[in-house]
Amino acid sequence: MQRVEAIIRPEKLDVVKSALEDLDHAGMTLTEVRGHGTQRGVTEQWRGRTFAVEYLTKVKIELVVKDEDVDAIVERIVDAARTGQVGDGKIFVSPVASAVRIRTGEADEAAL
């Protein structure tokens, strides 16, 4: 099993969600997060004044999936979330040692 964590632009959430549902991977955890990458935030103007926004709002999607599904899921997220601009986000994939469904006690892949 693998954990796929994708940090994306908030406006791309519905597109990514639909793309994942097409693969029958609708189960996900969403978190609103704030941060910055190498661009260190952005400079914006409001009412004629310029100010720096250091931490940008993003959405983090977390999924735990079978090993054989990782590549298709990552590809689908990249295709759905890409704008070609700085700040599109990142995807991290890491191993999951174990999973347990609390309601039934099922473990590992049966718990997914």
Side-chain angles (χ1 to χ4, degrees):
M1 294 178 298
Q2 302 285 324
R3 175 193 311 266
V4 177
E5 294 177 81
I7 300 171
I8 63 168
R9 296 172 181 265
E11 62 269 19
K12 288 295 194 170
L13 176 59
D14 288 336
V15 178
V16 171
K17 182 179 155 231
S18 295
L20 292 172
E21 287 173 347
D22 289 346
L23 289 176
D24 291 330
H25 286 284
M28 64 182 75
T29 301
L30 301 175
T31 309
E32 186 176 299
V33 296
R34 292 171 30 104
H36 65 72
T38 56
Q39 82 276 10
R40 303 276 188 233
V42 296
T43 302
E44 294 188 1
Q45 287 191 350
W46 187 65
R47 292 190 177 183
R49 300 185 74 188
T50 301
F51 61 96
V53 178
E54 185 175 355
Y55 299 106
L56 304 174
T57 300
K58 302 288 184 179
V59 174
K60 180 165 72 168
I61 301 170
E62 296 177 73
L63 305 99
V64 177
V65 300
K66 296 177 183 175
D67 291 335
E68 60 267 16
D69 295 336
V70 171
D71 292 337
I73 288 171
V74 168
E75 181 179 328
R76 195 57 76 97
I77 293 170
V78 169
D79 290 343
R82 179 183 287 146
T83 67
Q85 303 295 315
V86 172
D88 276 350
K90 297 265 192 308
I91 299 175
F92 304 99
V93 179
S94 55
V96 173
S98 181
V100 176
R101 179 173 289 148
I102 295 172
R103 179 177 54 88
T104 62
E106 295 171 300
D108 301 325
E109 286 191 8
L112 300 181

